[in-house]
Every structure is written in C-alpha cells, then in structure tokens.
Amino acid sequence: MIQNHEIDYRILGEEMQYVEVELDPNETAVAEPGAFMMMDDGIQMQTIFGDGSSQQNGGLLGKLFSAGKRMLVGENLFMTAFTNVSYGKKHVSFASPYPGKIIPLDLYRLGGSVICQKDAFLCAAKGVSVGIEFQRKLGTGLFGGEGFIMEKLEGDGMAFMHAGGHVVQRELQAGEIIKIDTGCIVGFTATVNYDIQFIGGIKNTLFGGEGVFFATLQGPGTVWIQSLPISRLASRILQYATGPRKEEGSILGGLGNLIDGDGW
C-alpha cells in the first residue's frame, strides 16, 4: 500500500496563484523544476531522479523506467524534493507558471488515481507517483493531440494541478457524456472513460476554426475543465506577434489599429 507524506497547505492569490505547503519535521514535498517560489530556513532542497515515489524502489532499472515515463510526456527527468530537516513546522511555496487556478487533489478521496494533461502537474506530497497514461483506443491514439499521452498521478496523498483561466469541476453521473475541446481538459478521475470523436461535416472541418476532433468524457467520475489552455493563449499571442492584423488592407487600415490603441 502506498503511504504518502501527509502535508497541509493553503492556496493564495487570485489570478496568479501559489500554494504554500506546510511540512512537519522530516516531511517532504516534490515539485517540477521551476515551480519553486520560496521556503523557510530549515528546509533542504535536493534534486532527485524521477518522482521519488515508493514505486521507484526497484533499484536503478526501476528509477530509469519511472524517469523515462516522465520524459515521454515532455517532463523533466528530474524533480526537486523539499524536506523539513529542522524542528517545528516549516513552509515552502510553489507558483503557477501562468494565469489561472491551482487545483488541490486529495488522491485518497479520489480513488487513488487522477489522469491529467501532461503539463498540468505542479507539486505533490512525497510518495505520489507521476507516470504516464496511454489511451489505448485507436481514435484517441491517432487523433488525440494534446490528450493522447497524459500524466497519471497515483497515491493516497495530496497533489496539485494548475490550469489556465477559470476552472470548472464537473461531477459526471454513470453514463453521462460531455464533449469538450481536448486542450480544455485539465484532468479527470480514473473512472471516467475518455475517447476522441470526429466532428464531421465539410463546413465544420474547413471553416469551424475549432479543430477536426473533440474529446468525449463519460462518467461516472470527476472532471476538471479550464477555460483558457496555455496552448490556445500561446497561439493567439504568436498570431498577433508574427502575422498581419486582420484590419490591414481594409478600409480603415492603420486607422483601425489606432482606434484599437496600437498606435501607428
């Protein structure tokens, strides 16, 4: 049975949130490289290979396999462990990398497993396993895009995801289905059935602007949905930074940009 470190926490901020984790003596939290924000004196920071979970105790081969799974989903081979090596309670904080919300996950209450987007994981109590989840269905495997290879968080402790924009938590009943853009999925419990569906229709395909496929999620289970995926935000910024504005060549031309506040 997996035994994770029991950590207390609080989430602070509105649009740019961070999570403050309280560590008792000898307790440890693990986080993605670059998530660290600040910590009290008395906490020791150490780079570890893989996720540091109890599933890595199979020697070097087990650690290599676990770390290799993280590399497949585009994550770093290493994580950072923060351990309270002093007396009394200490605090360490981790920040979300872009505007949005931090989602606390009590894996014990969520059935021990949550599937999430490959860039959604922020930090967790030591002992939580961060692996991969392959979608075995043909449609998902070929056309899943962002949702094909996802991360699986397993254990009985606390883990934290971050999401872009506003976050909605949906409780799906048995057999209930929602259709959603793949990038808008933050995560879902292991009981949710996930697949990819073709939108269909030549007009939708050519002119819809929403992609050719969307995800179907079928309950029972919990689903977390984000209103602004980082991929969507990045593509829009890139469009404005590198491509011509839609007004260019129109009747208004530069005057339209001036009205928008962009100047000449």
Side-chain angles (χ1 to χ4, degrees):
M1 181 179 180
I2 299 174
Q3 292 292 332
N4 302 154
H5 289 201
E6 296 181 4
I7 58 174
D8 297 316
Y9 71 94
R10 60 175 182 157
I11 295 174
L12 301 98
E14 295 296 333
E15 302 307 323
M16 290 295 294
Q17 293 187 327
Y18 70 95
V19 56
E20 180 186 80
V21 175
E22 182 179 89
L23 299 176
D24 292 329
N26 298 318
E27 280 187 346
T28 300
V30 294
E32 291 286 1
F36 169 71
M37 178 179 173
M38 61 182 173
M39 64 183 178
D40 293 338
D41 188 35
I43 293 180
Q44 183 181 74
M45 183 172 65
Q46 182 182 13
T47 299
I48 60 175
F49 193 58
D51 56 27
S53 68
S54 59
Q55 297 184 12
Q56 286 191 315
N57 289 338
L60 178 60
L61 184 61
K63 292 182 179 181
L64 286 171
F65 180 71
S66 178
K69 291 191 300 181
R70 287 175 47 76
M71 187 173 65
L72 279 177
V73 295
E75 300 290 5
N76 200 298
L77 284 173
F78 299 89
M79 297 184 73
T80 309
F82 300 83
T83 304
N84 182 358
V85 295
S86 65
Y87 300 99
K89 297 180 182 295
K90 300 293 181 179
H91 299 87
V92 57
S93 298
F94 307 100
S96 178
Y98 46 80
K101 302 295 180 183
I102 293 177
I103 306 168
L105 303 172
D106 186 340
L107 294 177
Y108 178 78
R109 296 181 180 274
L110 293 170
S113 180
V114 168
I115 314 300
C116 66
Q117 286 280 17
K118 58 182 180 292
D119 61 350
F121 172 71
L122 182 65
C123 61
K126 185 178 181 181
V128 171
S129 171
V130 185
I132 60 173
E133 174 72 6
F134 283 105
Q135 301 299 331
R136 297 176 180 85
K137 293 187 178 180
L138 179 62
T140 312
L142 291 178
F143 309 115
E146 294 174 76
F148 172 38
I149 300 179
M150 305 184 79
E151 284 187 327
K152 175 184 280 188
L153 309 179
E154 293 182 286
D156 56 17
M158 292 297 304
F160 300 88
M161 300 186 299
H162 60 83
H166 180 68
V167 176
V168 176
Q169 180 176 323
R170 285 281 300 268
E171 300 293 336
L172 300 182
Q173 303 303 313
E176 182 181 1
I177 296 175
I178 59 172
K179 300 178 180 180
I180 180 174
D181 181 274
T182 56
C184 290
I185 301 172
V186 185
F188 47 87
T189 53
T191 55
V192 173
N193 184 38
Y194 172 66
D195 199 5
I196 294 294
Q197 183 173 334
F198 178 62
I199 293 177
I202 186 64
K203 288 190 295 184
N204 287 334
T205 302
L206 294 179
F207 309 115
E210 302 298 338
V212 183
F213 303 92
F214 53 71
T216 60
L217 300 175
Q218 181 176 6
T222 304
V223 179
W224 292 270
I225 303 164
Q226 59 186 350
S227 64
L228 184 60
I230 185 62
S231 58
R232 184 178 298 177
L233 176 61
S235 66
R236 183 57 60 89
I237 292 174
L238 188 63
Q239 173 188 340
Y240 274 81
T242 61
R245 291 287 300 274
K246 292 182 179 179
E247 307 86 272
E248 293 177 359
S250 66
I251 296 176
L252 286 178
L255 179 60
N257 291 336
L258 181 62
I259 295 174
D260 286 342
D262 290 342
W264 291 100

